[in-house]
Amino acid sequence: MDFVATCLFGLEKFVGEDIDRLGYKRIETIDGRVTFTAPDEKAGDCVADCNVFFRYAERVLIKLGDFTALTFEDLYQGTKALPWENFIGRNDAFPVKGHSIKSKLFSIPDCQKIIKKAVIDRLSNVYKMKQFPENGIKYQIEFFILNNKAALMIDTTGETLHKRGYRKEENLAPLRETLAAAMVTLSRPRENVILVDPMCGSGTIAIEAALLVTNTAPGLNRSFAAEQFPFVHKASWQNAREKARTAVTPPYTEIFGYDIDPKCVEISKNNASRAGMDFIHFAVRDIKNFEPPYPDVRGTIVTNPPYGERMGDQMSARELAKLMGEKFLEKIPRWQKYIISADEEFEKYYGKRADKVRKLYNGMIKCGFYQYFKT
């Protein structure tokens, strides 16, 4: 059976590595999605494993098939030819949503109507029914049309995977959990090298770091749409969660989160507690007064400062970047620093060229991930 894992642009490499770790085979990678396959007899286990263990993906989709769709007739016939009855029962719900990019069929509402009609006609022939109550299990159908090639899928995730379940409270400009996890991974957490987010907001970076250094599966404590699917047996979910629980280890380093706003620090503590990551050290601190938590300690900064896109203005964000550069050079010259910003002139105001810049997306906002390895 074939699957598609969707993700933020720039995270495809990390999603592919998660697929490899779970023992499934990658087929194709394009911007924002990785297609992979699993043996049919392990399809249920694959659905459970991927939803529980994926750290960087947004959704896990069952791919029913793909075909060229230059016209609505192509879309109708291609959709109708797929084996929807293998999943959707007589009473089940099957809403349709999707995207079309660089294709002749660009009207999303029209594509939805055509696909819905094709699925109904297919199921009508199979079940000998004209109307469907759609009051049973929900099978969310998703379509993706790129360069006139349509892929038809069923979502197994439900609420997106970046919603781990711990962030009930957040600040004005929250960082998506999947992106925070990738940022931490790129910083290469190491034993006895502490990790500090000096502007922690709702604590996302610190919490994702804690999940990583304890080898805690991000989906361990949440539910998924496919838990209602009959072909994914309860044993598959039980086994996936048991594997996740037994894989958890004690943290191999300390993690700190600071913020100038006491409310943010309180939110961070509450979120960390819900995630089971109570070992994180949170405190109220102004970046103006930044100091390492211990003298002569080795450390890494990973942070998402405001950059004038959604909170504050660009000038104050640039003043903050200048302050960060000065403080970090003064207080922690030998630490590595990893900073995400949408400001293309970040390095100018920070006062130093990054050793490496990686393009990442915070939602739809194009950002640079500025990585400083040297003094």
Coordinates of all heavy atoms in Angstrom, one line a residue, residues 344 346-348 350-357 370-375:
E344 N 15.4 39.1 5.8 CA 16.5 38.7 4.9 C 17.8 39.5 5.3 O 18.9 39.1 4.8 CB 16.1 39.0 3.4 CG 15.0 38.1 2.9 CD 14.7 38.3 1.5 OE1 15.2 39.2 0.9 OE2 13.8 37.5 0.9
F346 N 18.7 39.8 8.4 CA 19.0 39.5 9.8 C 20.5 39.5 10.1 O 20.9 40.1 11.2 CB 18.5 38.1 10.1 CG 18.9 37.5 11.5 CD1 18.2 37.9 12.6 CD2 20.0 36.7 11.6 CE1 18.6 37.5 13.9 CE2 20.4 36.2 12.9 CZ 19.7 36.6 14.0
E347 N 21.3 38.9 9.3 CA 22.8 38.9 9.6 C 23.4 40.3 9.7 O 24.3 40.5 10.6 CB 23.5 38.1 8.4 CG 23.2 36.6 8.4 CD 23.6 36.0 7.1 OE1 23.0 36.4 6.0 OE2 24.4 35.1 7.1
K348 N 22.9 41.2 8.9 CA 23.4 42.6 9.0 C 23.2 43.2 10.4 O 24.1 43.8 11.0 CB 22.7 43.4 7.9 CG 23.0 44.9 8.0 CD 22.2 45.7 7.0 CE 22.3 47.2 7.2 NZ 21.5 48.0 6.2
Y350 N 22.3 41.5 13.2 CA 22.9 40.6 14.2 C 24.4 40.9 14.4 O 25.0 40.7 15.4 CB 22.7 39.1 13.8 CG 23.2 38.1 14.8 CD1 22.5 37.8 16.0 CD2 24.4 37.4 14.6 CE1 22.9 36.9 16.9 CE2 24.9 36.5 15.5 CZ 24.1 36.3 16.7 OH 24.6 35.3 17.6
G351 N 25.0 41.3 13.2 CA 26.4 41.7 13.3 C 27.4 40.7 12.9 O 28.6 40.9 13.0
K352 N 26.9 39.6 12.3 CA 27.9 38.5 11.9 C 27.2 37.7 10.9 O 26.0 37.3 11.0 CB 28.2 37.7 13.1 CG 29.4 36.7 12.9 CD 29.8 36.0 14.2 CE 31.1 35.3 14.0 NZ 31.0 34.2 13.1
R353 N 28.0 37.3 9.9 CA 27.5 36.4 8.9 C 27.3 35.0 9.4 O 28.2 34.5 10.2 CB 28.4 36.3 7.6 CG 28.1 37.4 6.6 CD 28.8 37.1 5.3 NE 28.4 38.0 4.3 CZ 27.2 37.9 3.6 NH1 26.4 37.0 3.9 NH2 26.9 38.8 2.7
A354 N 26.3 34.3 9.1 CA 26.1 32.9 9.6 C 27.0 32.0 8.8 O 27.4 32.2 7.7 CB 24.6 32.5 9.4
D355 N 27.4 30.9 9.5 CA 28.3 29.9 8.9 C 27.4 29.1 7.9 O 28.0 28.6 6.9 CB 28.8 28.9 9.9 CG 29.8 29.7 10.8 OD1 30.8 30.2 10.4 OD2 29.5 29.7 12.1
K356 N 26.1 29.0 8.1 CA 25.2 28.3 7.2 C 23.8 28.9 7.3 O 23.4 29.2 8.4 CB 25.2 26.8 7.4 CG 24.4 26.0 6.4 CD 24.6 24.5 6.7 CE 23.9 23.7 5.7 NZ 24.0 22.2 5.9
V357 N 23.1 29.0 6.2 CA 21.7 29.5 6.2 C 20.9 28.4 5.5 O 21.2 28.1 4.4 CB 21.5 30.9 5.6 CG1 20.1 31.3 5.7 CG2 22.5 31.9 6.2
Y370 N 19.5 30.6 10.6 CA 20.9 31.1 10.6 C 21.6 30.3 11.6 O 21.3 30.3 12.8 CB 20.9 32.6 10.9 CG 20.2 33.4 9.9 CD1 18.8 33.7 9.9 CD2 20.9 33.9 8.8 CE1 18.2 34.4 8.9 CE2 20.2 34.6 7.7 CZ 18.9 34.9 7.9 OH 18.3 35.6 6.8
Q371 N 22.7 29.6 11.2 CA 23.4 28.7 12.0 C 24.9 29.2 12.2 O 25.6 29.4 11.2 CB 23.5 27.3 11.3 CG 22.1 26.8 11.0 CD 22.0 25.6 10.2 OE1 22.7 24.6 10.5 NE2 21.3 25.6 9.1
Y372 N 25.2 29.4 13.5 CA 26.5 29.9 13.8 C 27.3 28.8 14.6 O 26.9 28.4 15.7 CB 26.4 31.2 14.7 CG 25.8 32.3 14.0 CD1 24.4 32.5 13.9 CD2 26.6 33.3 13.3 CE1 23.8 33.6 13.3 CE2 26.0 34.3 12.6 CZ 24.7 34.5 12.6 OH 24.1 35.5 11.9
F373 N 28.4 28.3 14.0 CA 29.1 27.2 14.5 C 30.4 27.7 15.2 O 30.9 27.0 16.1 CB 29.6 26.2 13.4 CG 28.4 25.8 12.6 CD1 28.6 25.6 11.2 CD2 27.2 25.4 13.1 CE1 27.6 25.2 10.4 CE2 26.2 25.0 12.3 CZ 26.4 24.9 10.9
K374 N 30.8 28.9 14.9 CA 32.1 29.4 15.4 C 32.0 30.6 16.3 O 30.9 31.1 16.4 CB 33.0 29.7 14.2 CG 33.2 28.6 13.2 CD 33.9 29.1 11.9 CE 34.0 28.0 10.9 NZ 34.6 28.6 9.6
T375 N 33.1 31.0 16.9 CA 33.1 32.1 17.8 C 32.7 33.4 17.0 O 33.1 33.6 15.9 CB 34.5 32.4 18.3 OG1 34.9 31.2 19.0 CG2 34.5 33.5 19.3

